[in-house]
Amino acid sequence: MTQHLFILTGASRGMGLAMAQQLLQPGHTLLCLSRHTHDALVAQAASSDAALVQWSQDLADGTAASARLADWLAAQTADAYASATLINNAGVIPRIGPVRDADAADLAHALRVGLEAPRQLTAAFLHATAHWPAARKVLNISSGLGRRAMASQAAYCAAKAGLDHFTRCLALEEALKPGGAKVCALAPGVIDTDMQVQLRGADAAAFPDRARFVGLKDRGLLTSPEAAAAQVLAWLHRADFGVNPVADVRDAG
């Protein structure tokens, strides 16, 4: 077995798109779940001898997404892959401001995409692949804001903090199972993406930390999506992946 399966959410832009581009290598099968498919990935897959499947999937409906993933995995041959990896990357920042001014639907959407869908997809992935001989990994893309509270960012912070603790619990469960999956919630650093544009463009009166994010950009301290993707994927391939279920790419290793 030389084929390696990667399942990636949020692959249509930013670091997710960069990860998808870097994962399109010979011997790789890449399944992308995003709101929009990406034509450039199709062309790259054809030229790199990689297998690509793209689903236009709204992760706000994690129930439908996880059911679709379960069906797709059930249709795969159990011994077709040397490894199988789920990367829960998708996330959204709702309108930036204090909770007292938040829209209820906006708050719910952030948690559905950032926490509910990753849990449901992880459950579907682990259940469907439980009998596979492949080495299995779950990589949850977290954030420093899951570990550091910030005013006017409660929904995003809560989703990422929940993802961290979910991963801790999951690691304990999988450690009890022979051949259990290795899991990690990894903070990828501060990346120059649309989310950063959103943070810098927020109303300073509603977002006390706005100046901090403006300063990061002005001082050139943001990592490019391509460099961040390379760091995350390098962490994924570390021999000690999962030893620390909650980690940061900037950790010494």
Side-chain angles (χ1 to χ4, degrees):
M1 296 181 294
T2 58
Q3 198 74 11
H4 299 274
L5 172 64
F6 296 90
I7 302 162
L8 172 66
T9 69
S12 62
R13 61 180 183 173
M15 188 181 73
L17 175 58
M19 282 195 288
Q21 292 168 330
Q22 293 175 30
L23 286 169
L24 286 175
Q25 300 178 19
H28 286 187
T29 296
L30 175 63
L31 168 59
C32 296
L33 288 72
S34 307
R35 289 190 65 187
H36 307 287
T37 59
H38 206 289
D39 291 342
L41 292 178
V42 177
Q44 183 183 343
S47 64
S48 62
D49 196 27
L52 173 68
V53 180
Q54 294 191 87
W55 293 348
S56 179
Q57 187 76 48
D58 185 359
L59 293 174
D61 187 353
T63 300
S66 60
R68 187 178 185 184
L69 178 61
D71 289 344
W72 187 85
L73 288 169
Q76 305 302 302
T77 303
D79 60 355
Y81 301 103
S83 70
T85 301
L86 171 64
I87 306 174
N88 286 307
N89 166 71
V92 295
I93 294 181
R95 190 180 69 83
I96 298 167
V99 172
R100 63 179 176 271
D101 297 329
D103 177 77
D106 205 24
L107 291 174
H109 181 259
L111 283 175
R112 285 180 181 140
V113 175
L115 179 57
E116 186 174 289
R119 290 185 301 163
Q120 292 168 312
L121 291 169
T122 298
F125 172 76
L126 292 176
H127 182 77
T129 62
H131 63 292
W132 289 17
R136 296 171 303 138
K137 296 179 181 178
V138 177
L139 172 60
N140 292 322
I141 301 301
S142 185
S143 170
L145 291 185
R147 303 155 199 181
R148 173 177 177 263
M150 183 172 287
S152 299
Q153 284 278 59
Y156 185 76
C157 289
K160 293 303 185 183
L163 194 62
D164 283 353
H165 213 47
F166 168 71
T167 307
R168 292 185 184 100
C169 296
L170 184 63
L172 294 173
E173 294 175 1
E174 290 299 301
L176 297 173
K177 180 182 183 298
K182 304 297 183 182
V183 302
C184 181
L186 182 68
V190 189
I191 309 166
D192 197 2
T193 64
D194 291 344
M195 282 190 179
Q196 286 292 317
V197 174
Q198 188 178 350
L199 293 167
R200 293 195 301 272
D203 179 2
F207 185 33
D209 287 277
R210 176 181 177 274
R212 173 176 176 267
F213 290 95
V214 172
L216 289 172
K217 177 68 170 179
D218 290 345
R219 297 195 303 275
L221 298 177
L222 300 178
T223 305
S224 72
E226 294 74 19
Q231 288 180 308
V232 167
L233 294 178
W235 193 282
L236 178 67
H237 294 303
R238 284 170 52 139
D240 63 348
F241 177 87
V243 171
N244 293 320
V246 175
D248 189 301
V249 293
R250 293 161 291 193
D251 293 342

